[in-house]
Amino acid sequence: MYKILKKRFLAQNIYLMDVEAPRVAKSCHPGQFIIVKMDEKGERIPLTICDYNRETGSVTIVFQALGESTKEMLEYNEGDYFKDFVGPLGRPSEFVHEDLEELKKKKIVFVAGGVGAAPVYPQVKWLHEQGIAVDVIVGAKTKDLVILEEEMKNVSGNLYVTTDDGSYGFKGMVTAQLEELVNQGNKYDLCVAIGPMIMMKFVCLLTKKLEIPTIVSLNPIMVDGTGMCGACRVTVGDEVKFACVDGPEFDGHLVNFDEAMRRQTMYKTEEGRKLLKMQEGDTHHGGCGFCGGDK
Amino acid sequence: MLRMTKVPVKEQDAKVRATNFEEVCLGYTPEEAIEEAKRCLNCKKPLCVSQCPVSIDIPGFISHVKEGDFEGAAKVIAESSALPAVCGRVCPQETQCEGKCVLGIKGEPVSIGKLERFVADWSRENNIDLGTTVEKKNKKVAVIGSGPAGLTCAGDLARMGYDVTIFEALHEPGGVLVYGIPEFRLPKDTVVKHEIDNVKKLGVKIETNVIIGRTVTIDELIENEGFDAVFIGSGAGLPKFMGINGENSNGVFSANEFLTRNNLMKAFKENYSTPIKSGKKVAVVGGGNVAMDAARTALRLGSEVHIVYRRSEEELPARVEEVHHAKEEGIIFDLLTNPVEIIADENGWVKGMKCIKMELGEPDASGRRRPVEVKGSEYIMDVDTVIMSLGTSPNPLISSTTPGLETNRWKCIVADEETGLTSKEGVYAGGDAVTGAATVILAMGAGKHAAKAINEYLSK
């Protein structure tokens, strides 16, 4: 059993939790994820690691209540326990193993869409701890849905917040902000984009044009998360990869996003789709602005 | 005159069982078991024992059954096997113990599997305590994986007095016994859980949700957590796909995913959150036991199911009993047929599978006749779900994170056949992680041999 040490409201339907999981906290790195199973009858839900504390043995997750299971997770409070919490899963971000001197020469930009700010945070924080300042673009649909702004400000070099409706920061999509930064003369050697699949797709279309190598973190359907089923398979270049063991991070310019998005819908029934449209309208497509919340 | 045929075992009616997940075979009653046991000739040099990978004293336990002393029988089996209720159900006895039974020469062999199962079920239902107290050795052994190899190795080591911890990546221990083999062949809550509890009663600790290679490495277990030896029984859980066009369409699953959703996550039960999708018409590609399990599961979820296999019935790798059960339940066999492409509709969902007819050519290296495509025989099978059951290989996670651990070109861990010793001192391996996908009982045999070798190593 894994104790919930802290629960914090971030935005409508988006919560942060610190969970006591010493083994995971000890071995995890930025870019990796965990799988949580709330109770006996629950399903296995993959969530990216948002932060960790090796001393206290806690791991931070951020989740958005979307479907039946994550809505149930809203009911869990500090002091409650999750039945299962396994990880770290997937490969750490590549830069974790890169030569630090080489890494310091690079100019990196992170692009986070909606709840994607959560998985971006540990990466930016890790780089900050190594003395590397990076540019970060955080996009949300509207002001109230901007999450982890303070935390992100503390670890990033330059932070750019965008909202679709212009209620806060730059008005428009994350891609428009990125394009503007490049037009202003910023040169980037690497872009890391994490957010809804459609947002990552459009960031990749842009960065391909701008010739900026781009890493994305994919979030397909998963079951075990250890490579034994292939539910999370994605096509990268000419190869079929399992996101849970080969990823979740891949070269964004090689990912077949249309297939990946289609596979994400596999378990959505007619009713489920309606429910999602209703609920995700506000947040799921937050920050990217490409589909108006109804695709 | 000894009867030359087995005492038949009762089964659920095929029409009824095709709609539920209850166990198909109902097992012997005490009277039937005694009657069947009386057929055993109690050979002086029992060939059945030589064919059992864990060398159960078969005539020994059967002679107790003859007397109606089921507790005595259970104790004889417990000396060699920690999972008799499992093995009695899923072992391919026809090629092992029963395959060499002398009665099989002129008639039917003794139903050793069904008798073992009866004894195990009886002792569970009567709460027979098979635990033993042993002197502690104050040495720690880590066992990676809680499948049949790991459970057997851990059980044997605990009986020798070692402090054993099993590390399991999933949230439930049991390996293929819980995620792979369906409820209707192997009930989980009663049979599997009970046998795992028996291993725990021997003092074995099981830590779930630990992925060796990610959560902690083998070197860390030895260096930081004080383990004196390690046994790797991590199995072969990586599914194979065909690599044909359309294979990533919605509605194409690996058998592992399909079975994991159903068995481990209990998607077939009300109130469990994990969804499962089984269409109107399902094609299961492959002919092994896993293919039969996936097909019979899809059937129970309400689908029309076809087994698509590129060789003929004779070459089906599945157990004859399973093929027979599948046919009785209404699974349709499309033999000498191979998929070449999966066809999706405009939304990316499977709407058909292009297949080609095959014919058998000359025998290949494995001795089986090689299937050859019949030119121009392509046709489209009208299906909406495809389950790929083409076999599995070991997950490279452990080998790739354990420096000095040698693997072969199939990513299997290289280990000594007798002892299970790997290229790394103090690290042993067995089961599917070494051999590639094989059987439950072979994995148990490997676990047993490794336990013996680990004891010798740690006793030096």
Side-chain angles (χ1 to χ4, degrees):
Chain A
M1 301 286 268
Y2 302 81
K3 191 178 184 180
I4 299 165
L5 301 170
K6 193 170 94 179
K7 180 185 182 187
R8 197 177 119 203
F9 172 88
L10 294 184
Q12 190 193 357
N13 284 334
I14 305 176
Y15 281 84
L16 174 150
M17 278 179 182
D18 283 350
V19 180
E20 190 172 57
R23 278 199 185 274
V24 185
K26 201 173 163 191
S27 55
C28 66
H29 294 288
Q32 292 185 296
F33 64 99
I34 56 93
I35 280 184
V36 60
K37 182 170 176 286
M38 286 179 281
D39 57 18
E40 182 60 38
K41 295 182 177 178
E43 58 184 324
R44 295 169 65 96
I45 306 163
L47 292 169
T48 315
I49 292 167
C50 175
D51 204 356
Y52 48 87
N53 187 325
R54 303 214 199 278
E55 279 74 47
T56 60
S58 75
V59 174
T60 307
I61 52 170
V62 168
F63 69 94
Q64 182 173 28
L66 288 175
E68 198 193 322
S69 290
T70 37
K71 272 203 285 181
E72 199 185 317
M73 208 185 287
L74 285 178
E75 309 295 321
Y76 281 69
N77 289 308
E78 287 174 12
D80 289 346
Y81 290 82
F82 289 132
K83 188 170 176 297
D84 299 288
F85 190 92
V86 56
L89 298 162
R91 293 173 189 266
S93 302
E94 222 165 83
F95 57 72
V96 170
H97 302 298
E98 233 172 290
D99 181 73
L100 217 53
E101 291 313 308
E102 288 299 309
L103 196 58
K104 278 178 178 167
K105 289 179 198 155
K106 282 187 187 166
K107 184 91 172 113
I108 308 174
V109 61
F110 281 82
V111 183
V115 79
V120 160
Y121 175 70
Q123 305 198 14
V124 175
K125 184 183 170 190
W126 187 92
L127 289 162
H128 172 74
E129 283 166 354
Q130 316 303 318
I132 300 168
V134 300
D135 285 359
V136 181
I137 302 170
V138 171
K141 189 155 181 125
T142 185
K143 188 183 176 190
D144 294 342
L145 296 171
V146 177
I147 61 166
L148 301 169
E149 189 190 358
E150 264 314 297
E151 288 84 349
M152 202 74 91
K153 197 179 276 172
N154 292 336
V155 293
S156 51
N158 300 301
L159 176 66
Y160 306 91
V161 178
T162 75
T163 51
D164 290 5
D165 60 3
S167 54
Y168 188 59
F170 178 91
K171 182 180 190 310
M173 307 168 231
V174 287
T175 41
Q177 174 71 80
L178 177 61
E179 200 160 18
E180 190 172 298
L181 288 173
V182 172
N183 288 340
Q184 285 167 2
N186 287 286
K187 287 210 175 357
Y188 295 113
D189 303 302
L190 178 70
C191 170
V192 180
I194 309 180
M197 210 75 98
I198 184 118
M199 168 236 151
M200 293 191 280
K201 175 185 167 175
F202 278 95
V203 169
C204 288
L205 287 174
L206 173 68
T207 56
K208 191 153 195 186
K209 198 178 77 186
L210 299 173
E211 294 178 348
I212 306 170
T214 300
I215 302 289
V216 295
S217 176
L218 299 184
N219 48 345
I221 290 175
M222 286 189 190
V223 183
D224 60 286
T226 64
M228 62 172 260
C229 84
C232 64
R233 61 193 190 275
V234 289
T235 305
V236 181
D238 295 325
E239 283 179 273
V240 173
K241 301 272 188 187
F242 290 3
C244 72
V245 287
D246 301 320
E249 296 190 359
F250 294 102
D251 179 342
H253 294 159
L254 297 178
V255 170
N256 183 338
F257 281 104
D258 294 335
E259 179 191 277
M261 281 189 274
R262 195 196 69 222
R263 286 184 58 82
Q264 272 189 328
T265 66
M266 208 174 326
Y267 287 95
K268 291 180 185 171
T269 58
E270 253 341 286
E271 291 80 5
R273 271 196 291 276
K274 274 183 208 152
L275 183 77
L276 282 169
K277 186 175 161 183
M278 190 178 77
Q279 294 170 335
E280 292 177 16
D282 276 350
T283 53
H284 186 51
H285 304 269
C288 70
F290 286 102
C291 60
D294 66 356
K295 266 186 194 160
Chain B
M1 183 66 189
L2 207 59
R3 287 178 52 185
M4 293 316 277
T5 53
K6 292 176 173 182
V7 173
V9 67
K10 286 187 203 69
E11 287 176 352
Q12 256 203 88
D13 178 76
K15 280 208 182 73
V16 177
R17 72 180 192 241
T19 63
N20 67 43
F21 281 88
E22 307 292 315
E23 197 170 11
V24 168
C25 173
L26 304 173
Y28 281 146
T29 62
E31 297 71 33
E32 288 166 344
I34 293 170
E35 197 188 334
E36 178 64 18
K38 284 182 179 161
R39 297 179 60 227
C40 175
L41 300 174
N42 201 3
C43 302
K44 282 230 164 57
K45 285 186 179 159
L47 290 172
C48 54
V49 178
S50 71
Q51 295 301 303
C52 171
V54 297
S55 310
I56 293 174
D57 175 6
I58 294 164
F61 96 77
I62 290 182
S63 51
H64 284 285
V65 178
K66 279 182 197 169
E67 310 293 319
D69 173 18
F70 306 138
E71 184 168 344
K75 285 186 172 150
V76 172
I77 296 173
E79 285 167 19
S80 311
S81 173
L83 310 169
V86 169
C87 289
R89 285 171 166 84
V90 304
C91 275
Q93 289 100 4
E94 63 275 16
T95 59
Q96 294 180 326
C97 55
E98 294 178 21
K100 280 281 157 71
C101 172
V102 291
L103 288 187
I105 299 168
K106 290 206 171 142
E108 288 181 351
V110 174
S111 269
I112 300 165
K114 299 283 187 291
L115 287 173
E116 179 189 23
R117 169 191 159 144
F118 167 78
V119 169
D121 287 354
W122 182 91
S123 71
R124 179 182 68 248
E125 282 152 16
N126 291 279
N127 298 313
I128 303 302
D129 183 11
L130 298 169
T132 43
T133 45
V134 285
E135 205 179 316
K136 296 280 170 234
K137 283 208 169 83
N138 203 23
K139 277 191 178 153
K140 284 170 74 178
V141 182
V143 171
I144 318 300
S146 64
L151 287 172
T152 303
C153 186
D156 277 18
L157 287 166
R159 265 194 288 262
M160 296 169 194
Y162 291 97
D163 178 359
V164 185
T165 306
I166 300 182
F167 295 96
E168 167 57 47
L170 290 171
H171 58 269
E172 259 335 308
V176 76
L177 308 178
V178 295
Y179 76 75
I181 304 173
E183 197 78 18
F184 53 82
R185 282 216 288 141
L186 186 62
K188 309 290 163 237
D189 289 344
T190 48
V191 173
V192 178
K193 193 170 173 298
H194 179 84
E195 300 220 320
I196 290 169
D197 285 347
N198 279 347
V199 173
K200 285 190 197 162
K201 275 186 198 152
L202 297 168
V204 173
K205 285 164 272 183
I206 303 183
E207 224 187 290
T208 52
N209 298 325
V210 177
I211 300 178
I212 301 303
R214 291 265 196 249
T215 314
V216 64
T217 64
I218 286 179
D219 287 342
E220 285 166 348
L221 286 177
I222 296 169
E223 284 156 28
N224 306 340
E225 301 195 23
F227 286 97
D228 300 290
V230 177
F231 173 75
I232 305 170
S234 51
L238 198 71
K240 288 179 188 150
F241 287 93
M242 295 188 86
I244 57 175
N245 280 340
E247 211 169 9
N248 285 354
S249 304
N250 290 8
V252 183
F253 307 95
S254 71
N256 263 14
E257 178 186 354
F258 193 76
L259 290 171
T260 299
R261 284 180 183 277
N262 197 72
N263 302 337
L264 176 71
M265 305 311 294
K266 303 201 189 318
F268 70 95
K269 282 194 185 175
E270 286 274 345
N271 302 325
Y272 280 76
S273 308
T274 303
I276 195 161
K277 202 144 208 157
S278 191
K280 282 196 184 73
K281 195 167 162 185
V282 177
V284 177
V285 182
N289 287 316
V290 176
M292 298 305 139
D293 285 346
R296 296 170 72 196
T297 298
L299 181 96
R300 283 160 171 77
L301 293 169
S303 309
E304 174 189 320
V305 186
H306 293 246
I307 290 266
V308 176
Y309 180 60
R310 62 195 180 125
R311 292 182 161 101
S312 71
E313 173 148 5
E314 215 171 294
E315 288 84 10
L316 279 172
R319 289 184 67 191
V320 174
E321 184 181 336
E322 301 309 322
V323 175
H324 173 71
H325 278 152
K327 281 187 174 168
E328 274 185 340
E329 289 164 10
I331 307 275
I332 301 153
F333 283 72
D334 293 352
L335 302 165
L336 289 165
T337 304
N338 206 31
V340 288
E341 186 187 345
I342 290 165
I343 301 155
D345 66 15
E346 65 278 12
N347 296 317
W349 283 88
V350 175
K351 67 167 184 185
M353 184 163 81
K354 192 192 232 180
C355 295
I356 189 162
K357 285 286 182 192
M358 310 292 277
E359 58 190 10
L360 293 179
E362 293 301 306
D364 64 10
S366 75
R368 292 189 299 181
R369 292 177 65 193
R370 210 156 59 92
V372 187
E373 293 185 350
V374 178
K375 265 205 175 125
S377 66
E378 289 95 339
Y379 71 103
I380 291 176
M381 244 183 112
D382 161 36
V383 292
D384 57 2
T385 302
V386 178
I387 300 171
M388 292 294 178
S389 180
L390 311 159
T392 54
S393 58
N395 191 322
L397 194 52
I398 288 177
S399 47
S400 67
T401 56
T402 310
L405 189 68
E406 203 186 313
T407 55
N408 64 21
R409 63 193 169 107
W410 298 281
K411 300 265 166 54
C412 296
I413 296 169
V414 177
D416 183 86
E417 244 178 79
E418 289 293 304
T419 63
L421 179 64
T422 66
S423 53
K424 218 170 148 77
E425 200 199 330
V427 179
Y428 295 74
D432 289 2
V434 170
T435 57
T439 63
V440 167
I441 189 71
L442 282 174
M444 289 179 59
K448 211 165 186 61
H449 290 142
K452 187 165 165 269
I454 289 170
N455 181 40
E456 282 162 13
Y457 166 69
L458 294 178
S459 304
K460 267 181 206 162

